[in-house]
mmCIF file of all heavy atoms in Angstrom:
data_model
loop_
_atom_site.group_PDB
_atom_site.id
_atom_site.type_symbol
_atom_site.label_atom_id
_atom_site.label_comp_id
_atom_site.label_asym_id
_atom_site.label_seq_id
_atom_site.Cartn_x
_atom_site.Cartn_y
_atom_site.Cartn_z
ATOM 1 N N HIS F 1 -5.192 7.145 -2.692
ATOM 2 C CA HIS F 1 -6.525 7.465 -3.170
ATOM 3 C C HIS F 1 -6.518 7.758 -4.680
ATOM 4 O O HIS F 1 -7.490 7.399 -5.365
ATOM 5 C CB HIS F 1 -7.111 8.643 -2.392
ATOM 6 C CG HIS F 1 -7.426 8.322 -0.967
ATOM 7 N ND1 HIS F 1 -7.648 9.267 -0.011
ATOM 8 C CD2 HIS F 1 -7.573 7.119 -0.344
ATOM 9 C CE1 HIS F 1 -7.906 8.677 1.147
ATOM 10 N NE2 HIS F 1 -7.870 7.366 0.957
ATOM 11 N N ARG F 2 -5.462 8.350 -5.161
ATOM 12 C CA ARG F 2 -5.370 8.599 -6.600
ATOM 13 C C ARG F 2 -5.328 7.291 -7.382
ATOM 14 O O ARG F 2 -5.739 7.234 -8.554
ATOM 15 C CB ARG F 2 -4.134 9.450 -6.918
ATOM 16 C CG ARG F 2 -4.299 10.932 -6.596
ATOM 17 C CD ARG F 2 -3.231 11.775 -7.246
ATOM 18 N NE ARG F 2 -1.905 11.449 -6.738
ATOM 19 C CZ ARG F 2 -1.330 12.051 -5.692
ATOM 20 N NH1 ARG F 2 -2.016 13.007 -5.053
ATOM 21 N NH2 ARG F 2 -0.145 11.715 -5.309
ATOM 22 N N LEU F 3 -4.819 6.260 -6.757
ATOM 23 C CA LEU F 3 -4.785 4.944 -7.404
ATOM 24 C C LEU F 3 -6.111 4.189 -7.219
ATOM 25 O O LEU F 3 -6.209 3.025 -7.650
ATOM 26 C CB LEU F 3 -3.631 4.106 -6.823
ATOM 27 C CG LEU F 3 -2.218 4.620 -7.080
ATOM 28 C CD1 LEU F 3 -1.210 3.771 -6.363
ATOM 29 C CD2 LEU F 3 -1.911 4.694 -8.574
ATOM 30 N N GLY F 4 -7.066 4.792 -6.555
ATOM 31 C CA GLY F 4 -8.339 4.155 -6.337
ATOM 32 C C GLY F 4 -8.344 3.180 -5.178
ATOM 33 O O GLY F 4 -9.278 2.380 -5.051
ATOM 34 N N LEU F 5 -7.352 3.262 -4.303
ATOM 35 C CA LEU F 5 -7.255 2.385 -3.150
ATOM 36 C C LEU F 5 -7.823 3.129 -1.940
ATOM 37 O O LEU F 5 -7.286 4.143 -1.509
ATOM 38 C CB LEU F 5 -5.807 1.991 -2.878
ATOM 39 C CG LEU F 5 -5.084 1.352 -4.077
ATOM 40 C CD1 LEU F 5 -3.630 1.098 -3.729
ATOM 41 C CD2 LEU F 5 -5.760 0.071 -4.488
ATOM 42 N N GLN F 6 -8.927 2.616 -1.407
ATOM 43 C CA GLN F 6 -9.634 3.285 -0.328
ATOM 44 C C GLN F 6 -9.598 2.517 0.992
ATOM 45 O O GLN F 6 -9.697 3.138 2.060
ATOM 46 C CB GLN F 6 -11.122 3.494 -0.696
ATOM 47 C CG GLN F 6 -11.334 4.299 -1.997
ATOM 48 C CD GLN F 6 -10.873 5.749 -1.844
ATOM 49 O OE1 GLN F 6 -10.963 6.295 -0.765
ATOM 50 N NE2 GLN F 6 -10.394 6.326 -2.934
ATOM 51 N N ARG F 7 -9.451 1.222 0.940
ATOM 52 C CA ARG F 7 -9.494 0.396 2.130
ATOM 53 C C ARG F 7 -8.221 -0.432 2.284
ATOM 54 O O ARG F 7 -7.455 -0.608 1.323
ATOM 55 C CB ARG F 7 -10.719 -0.506 2.121
ATOM 56 C CG ARG F 7 -12.024 0.279 1.978
ATOM 57 C CD ARG F 7 -13.228 -0.575 2.204
ATOM 58 N NE ARG F 7 -14.455 0.257 2.158
ATOM 59 C CZ ARG F 7 -14.928 0.957 3.166
ATOM 60 N NH1 ARG F 7 -14.307 0.925 4.333
ATOM 61 N NH2 ARG F 7 -16.026 1.682 3.013
ATOM 62 N N VAL F 8 -8.000 -0.906 3.512
ATOM 63 C CA VAL F 8 -6.780 -1.649 3.815
ATOM 64 C C VAL F 8 -6.678 -2.894 2.921
ATOM 65 O O VAL F 8 -5.612 -3.225 2.395
ATOM 66 C CB VAL F 8 -6.734 -2.031 5.304
ATOM 67 C CG1 VAL F 8 -5.496 -2.899 5.575
ATOM 68 C CG2 VAL F 8 -6.734 -0.784 6.176
ATOM 69 N N GLY F 9 -7.805 -3.577 2.741
ATOM 70 C CA GLY F 9 -7.788 -4.780 1.918
ATOM 71 C C GLY F 9 -7.387 -4.500 0.471
ATOM 72 O O GLY F 9 -6.727 -5.332 -0.146
ATOM 73 N N ASP F 10 -7.745 -3.324 -0.032
ATOM 74 C CA ASP F 10 -7.365 -2.955 -1.395
ATOM 75 C C ASP F 10 -5.859 -2.903 -1.530
ATOM 76 O O ASP F 10 -5.266 -3.347 -2.531
ATOM 77 C CB ASP F 10 -7.971 -1.598 -1.789
ATOM 78 C CG ASP F 10 -9.483 -1.611 -1.745
ATOM 79 O OD1 ASP F 10 -10.050 -2.712 -1.878
ATOM 80 O OD2 ASP F 10 -10.081 -0.543 -1.583
ATOM 81 N N VAL F 11 -5.193 -2.378 -0.502
ATOM 82 C CA VAL F 11 -3.738 -2.250 -0.553
ATOM 83 C C VAL F 11 -3.069 -3.589 -0.317
ATOM 84 O O VAL F 11 -2.058 -3.929 -0.977
ATOM 85 C CB VAL F 11 -3.249 -1.220 0.475
ATOM 86 C CG1 VAL F 11 -1.745 -1.052 0.445
ATOM 87 C CG2 VAL F 11 -3.947 0.113 0.254
ATOM 88 N N LEU F 12 -3.625 -4.404 0.572
ATOM 89 C CA LEU F 12 -2.983 -5.697 0.858
ATOM 90 C C LEU F 12 -3.011 -6.604 -0.356
ATOM 91 O O LEU F 12 -2.160 -7.488 -0.459
ATOM 92 C CB LEU F 12 -3.721 -6.361 2.029
ATOM 93 C CG LEU F 12 -3.516 -5.730 3.400
ATOM 94 C CD1 LEU F 12 -4.412 -6.413 4.451
ATOM 95 C CD2 LEU F 12 -2.046 -5.776 3.829
ATOM 96 N N ARG F 13 -3.935 -6.397 -1.255
ATOM 97 C CA ARG F 13 -4.009 -7.248 -2.452
ATOM 98 C C ARG F 13 -3.059 -6.796 -3.567
ATOM 99 O O ARG F 13 -2.954 -7.445 -4.578
ATOM 100 C CB ARG F 13 -5.442 -7.308 -2.979
ATOM 101 C CG ARG F 13 -6.364 -8.166 -2.111
ATOM 102 C CD ARG F 13 -7.753 -8.317 -2.728
ATOM 103 N NE ARG F 13 -8.523 -7.092 -2.604
ATOM 104 C CZ ARG F 13 -9.311 -6.813 -1.571
ATOM 105 N NH1 ARG F 13 -9.395 -7.675 -0.555
ATOM 106 N NH2 ARG F 13 -10.001 -5.695 -1.547
ATOM 107 N N GLN F 14 -2.354 -5.682 -3.350
ATOM 108 C CA GLN F 14 -1.446 -5.169 -4.366
ATOM 109 C C GLN F 14 -0.048 -5.785 -4.205
ATOM 110 O O GLN F 14 0.348 -6.150 -3.101
ATOM 111 C CB GLN F 14 -1.338 -3.652 -4.283
ATOM 112 C CG GLN F 14 -2.664 -2.931 -4.374
ATOM 113 C CD GLN F 14 -3.397 -3.228 -5.635
ATOM 114 O OE1 GLN F 14 -2.825 -3.213 -6.731
ATOM 115 N NE2 GLN F 14 -4.695 -3.532 -5.537
ATOM 116 N N PRO F 15 0.724 -5.896 -5.286
ATOM 117 C CA PRO F 15 2.113 -6.358 -5.159
ATOM 118 C C PRO F 15 2.908 -5.381 -4.275
ATOM 119 O O PRO F 15 2.760 -4.177 -4.391
ATOM 120 C CB PRO F 15 2.622 -6.357 -6.599
ATOM 121 C CG PRO F 15 1.396 -6.361 -7.463
ATOM 122 C CD PRO F 15 0.342 -5.643 -6.678
ATOM 123 N N ARG F 16 3.764 -5.906 -3.432
ATOM 124 C CA ARG F 16 4.515 -5.075 -2.487
ATOM 125 C C ARG F 16 5.602 -4.267 -3.165
ATOM 126 O O ARG F 16 5.899 -3.144 -2.761
ATOM 127 C CB ARG F 16 5.110 -5.937 -1.383
ATOM 128 C CG ARG F 16 4.079 -6.499 -0.423
ATOM 129 C CD ARG F 16 4.754 -7.418 0.628
ATOM 130 N NE ARG F 16 5.674 -6.697 1.465
ATOM 131 C CZ ARG F 16 5.359 -6.138 2.640
ATOM 132 N NH1 ARG F 16 4.124 -6.198 3.064
ATOM 133 N NH2 ARG F 16 6.263 -5.534 3.363
ATOM 134 N N ALA F 17 6.251 -4.837 -4.146
ATOM 135 C CA ALA F 17 7.386 -4.120 -4.765
ATOM 136 C C ALA F 17 6.983 -2.763 -5.341
ATOM 137 O O ALA F 17 7.636 -1.749 -5.053
ATOM 138 C CB ALA F 17 8.037 -5.008 -5.823
ATOM 139 N N PRO F 18 5.931 -2.665 -6.135
ATOM 140 C CA PRO F 18 5.537 -1.336 -6.643
ATOM 141 C C PRO F 18 5.151 -0.381 -5.517
ATOM 142 O O PRO F 18 5.433 0.804 -5.579
ATOM 143 C CB PRO F 18 4.344 -1.646 -7.568
ATOM 144 C CG PRO F 18 4.522 -3.066 -7.956
ATOM 145 C CD PRO F 18 5.122 -3.731 -6.768
ATOM 146 N N LEU F 19 4.481 -0.910 -4.482
ATOM 147 C CA LEU F 19 4.119 -0.057 -3.347
ATOM 148 C C LEU F 19 5.362 0.488 -2.644
ATOM 149 O O LEU F 19 5.412 1.651 -2.249
ATOM 150 C CB LEU F 19 3.250 -0.822 -2.340
ATOM 151 C CG LEU F 19 1.852 -1.243 -2.813
ATOM 152 C CD1 LEU F 19 1.184 -2.098 -1.739
ATOM 153 C CD2 LEU F 19 0.993 -0.015 -3.135
ATOM 154 N N ALA F 20 6.367 -0.373 -2.483
ATOM 155 C CA ALA F 20 7.587 0.052 -1.840
ATOM 156 C C ALA F 20 8.306 1.104 -2.630
ATOM 157 O O ALA F 20 8.841 2.096 -2.081
ATOM 158 C CB ALA F 20 8.497 -1.143 -1.568
ATOM 159 N N ARG F 21 8.366 0.944 -3.970
ATOM 160 C CA ARG F 21 9.056 1.943 -4.790
ATOM 161 C C ARG F 21 8.352 3.292 -4.774
ATOM 162 O O ARG F 21 8.992 4.356 -4.752
ATOM 163 C CB ARG F 21 9.137 1.451 -6.248
ATOM 164 C CG ARG F 21 10.177 0.366 -6.460
ATOM 165 C CD ARG F 21 10.431 0.151 -7.920
ATOM 166 N NE ARG F 21 9.236 -0.264 -8.656
ATOM 167 C CZ ARG F 21 8.875 -1.531 -8.862
ATOM 168 N NH1 ARG F 21 9.618 -2.502 -8.373
ATOM 169 N NH2 ARG F 21 7.778 -1.810 -9.529
ATOM 170 N N ARG F 22 7.023 3.270 -4.664
ATOM 171 C CA ARG F 22 6.281 4.525 -4.771
ATOM 172 C C ARG F 22 6.067 5.197 -3.409
ATOM 173 O O ARG F 22 6.112 6.420 -3.316
ATOM 174 C CB ARG F 22 4.911 4.267 -5.413
ATOM 175 C CG ARG F 22 4.099 5.531 -5.633
ATOM 176 C CD ARG F 22 3.054 5.349 -6.693
ATOM 177 N NE ARG F 22 2.357 6.581 -6.966
ATOM 178 C CZ ARG F 22 1.468 6.739 -7.954
ATOM 179 N NH1 ARG F 22 1.216 5.722 -8.773
ATOM 180 N NH2 ARG F 22 0.851 7.881 -8.151
ATOM 181 N N PHE F 23 5.825 4.401 -2.362
ATOM 182 C CA PHE F 23 5.479 4.994 -1.057
ATOM 183 C C PHE F 23 6.502 4.754 0.043
ATOM 184 O O PHE F 23 6.375 5.319 1.127
ATOM 185 C CB PHE F 23 4.124 4.446 -0.592
ATOM 186 C CG PHE F 23 2.987 4.730 -1.557
ATOM 187 C CD1 PHE F 23 2.534 3.750 -2.434
ATOM 188 C CD2 PHE F 23 2.414 5.980 -1.584
ATOM 189 C CE1 PHE F 23 1.495 4.010 -3.308
ATOM 190 C CE2 PHE F 23 1.374 6.267 -2.460
ATOM 191 C CZ PHE F 23 0.926 5.273 -3.323
ATOM 192 N N GLY F 24 7.511 3.932 -0.203
ATOM 193 C CA GLY F 24 8.577 3.759 0.753
ATOM 194 C C GLY F 24 8.188 2.883 1.967
ATOM 195 O O GLY F 24 7.161 2.191 1.967
ATOM 196 N N ARG F 25 9.028 2.954 2.991
ATOM 197 C CA ARG F 25 8.856 2.096 4.165
ATOM 198 C C ARG F 25 7.620 2.442 4.979
ATOM 199 O O ARG F 25 7.081 1.598 5.689
ATOM 200 C CB ARG F 25 10.089 2.179 5.080
ATOM 201 C CG ARG F 25 11.368 1.635 4.500
ATOM 202 C CD ARG F 25 11.260 0.154 4.196
ATOM 203 N NE ARG F 25 10.567 -0.611 5.237
ATOM 204 C CZ ARG F 25 10.245 -1.898 5.101
ATOM 205 N NH1 ARG F 25 10.508 -2.540 3.946
ATOM 206 N NH2 ARG F 25 9.648 -2.556 6.068
ATOM 207 N N GLU F 26 7.183 3.684 4.928
ATOM 208 C CA GLU F 26 6.032 4.079 5.785
ATOM 209 C C GLU F 26 4.821 3.173 5.565
ATOM 210 O O GLU F 26 4.240 2.678 6.513
ATOM 211 C CB GLU F 26 5.645 5.544 5.487
ATOM 212 C CG GLU F 26 4.432 5.975 6.289
ATOM 213 C CD GLU F 26 3.876 7.322 5.835
ATOM 214 O OE1 GLU F 26 4.412 7.871 4.839
ATOM 215 O OE2 GLU F 26 2.903 7.786 6.417
ATOM 216 N N LEU F 27 4.480 2.979 4.297
ATOM 217 C CA LEU F 27 3.288 2.170 3.998
ATOM 218 C C LEU F 27 3.529 0.718 4.341
ATOM 219 O O LEU F 27 2.668 0.050 4.946
ATOM 220 C CB LEU F 27 2.899 2.328 2.523
ATOM 221 C CG LEU F 27 1.727 1.481 2.054
ATOM 222 C CD1 LEU F 27 0.475 1.796 2.866
ATOM 223 C CD2 LEU F 27 1.490 1.669 0.580
ATOM 224 N N LEU F 28 4.680 0.175 3.976
ATOM 225 C CA LEU F 28 4.956 -1.231 4.255
ATOM 226 C C LEU F 28 4.994 -1.519 5.750
ATOM 227 O O LEU F 28 4.506 -2.558 6.223
ATOM 228 C CB LEU F 28 6.267 -1.653 3.590
ATOM 229 C CG LEU F 28 6.282 -1.584 2.060
ATOM 230 C CD1 LEU F 28 7.614 -2.150 1.543
ATOM 231 C CD2 LEU F 28 5.121 -2.313 1.435
ATOM 232 N N ASP F 29 5.596 -0.611 6.527
ATOM 233 C CA ASP F 29 5.634 -0.804 7.983
ATOM 234 C C ASP F 29 4.255 -0.794 8.548
ATOM 235 O O ASP F 29 3.921 -1.599 9.469
ATOM 236 C CB ASP F 29 6.485 0.276 8.623
ATOM 237 C CG ASP F 29 7.958 0.103 8.341
ATOM 238 O OD1 ASP F 29 8.356 -0.997 7.908
ATOM 239 O OD2 ASP F 29 8.721 1.051 8.563
ATOM 240 N N ALA F 30 3.374 0.087 8.066
ATOM 241 C CA ALA F 30 2.007 0.153 8.569
ATOM 242 C C ALA F 30 1.245 -1.125 8.226
ATOM 243 O O ALA F 30 0.495 -1.657 9.059
ATOM 244 C CB ALA F 30 1.283 1.372 8.012
ATOM 245 N N LEU F 31 1.454 -1.644 7.009
ATOM 246 C CA LEU F 31 0.773 -2.885 6.629
ATOM 247 C C LEU F 31 1.291 -4.079 7.415
ATOM 248 O O LEU F 31 0.510 -4.930 7.856
ATOM 249 C CB LEU F 31 0.957 -3.140 5.129
ATOM 250 C CG LEU F 31 0.312 -2.107 4.197
ATOM 251 C CD1 LEU F 31 0.659 -2.437 2.737
ATOM 252 C CD2 LEU F 31 -1.183 -2.065 4.391
ATOM 253 N N ASP F 32 2.609 -4.137 7.651
ATOM 254 C CA ASP F 32 3.180 -5.242 8.450
ATOM 255 C C ASP F 32 2.656 -5.186 9.891
ATOM 256 O O ASP F 32 2.371 -6.238 10.494
ATOM 257 C CB ASP F 32 4.678 -5.172 8.434
ATOM 258 C CG ASP F 32 5.269 -5.561 7.081
ATOM 259 O OD1 ASP F 32 4.553 -6.197 6.295
ATOM 260 O OD2 ASP F 32 6.432 -5.223 6.826
ATOM 261 N N ALA F 33 2.522 -3.974 10.421
ATOM 262 C CA ALA F 33 2.046 -3.845 11.793
ATOM 263 C C ALA F 33 0.587 -4.277 11.912
ATOM 264 O O ALA F 33 0.228 -5.003 12.874
ATOM 265 C CB ALA F 33 2.193 -2.400 12.267
ATOM 266 N N VAL F 34 -0.252 -3.895 10.998
ATOM 267 C CA VAL F 34 -1.660 -4.239 11.092
ATOM 268 C C VAL F 34 -1.906 -5.723 10.807
ATOM 269 O O VAL F 34 -2.891 -6.324 11.258
ATOM 270 C CB VAL F 34 -2.498 -3.350 10.146
ATOM 271 C CG1 VAL F 34 -2.454 -3.865 8.711
ATOM 272 C CG2 VAL F 34 -3.947 -3.243 10.634
#
């Protein structure tokens, strides 16, 4: 939310590498599952 990402589509459009470095496997696993 601090990055201004409110919806799933907002996160899916982001590069995965920065998301992985900042939020770890939890976020990537949730995105892969959905």
Side-chain angles (χ1 to χ4, degrees):
H1 290 164
R2 283 195 296 270
L3 296 175
L5 305 176
Q6 302 294 328
R7 302 190 177 277
V8 176
D10 299 336
V11 181
L12 290 175
R13 286 186 286 271
Q14 305 302 314
R16 290 177 64 92
L19 292 176
R21 287 194 298 268
R22 184 158 184 173
F23 300 101
R25 292 299 317 173
E26 177 192 3
L27 177 59
L28 297 185
D29 288 344
L31 294 177
D32 288 342
V34 81

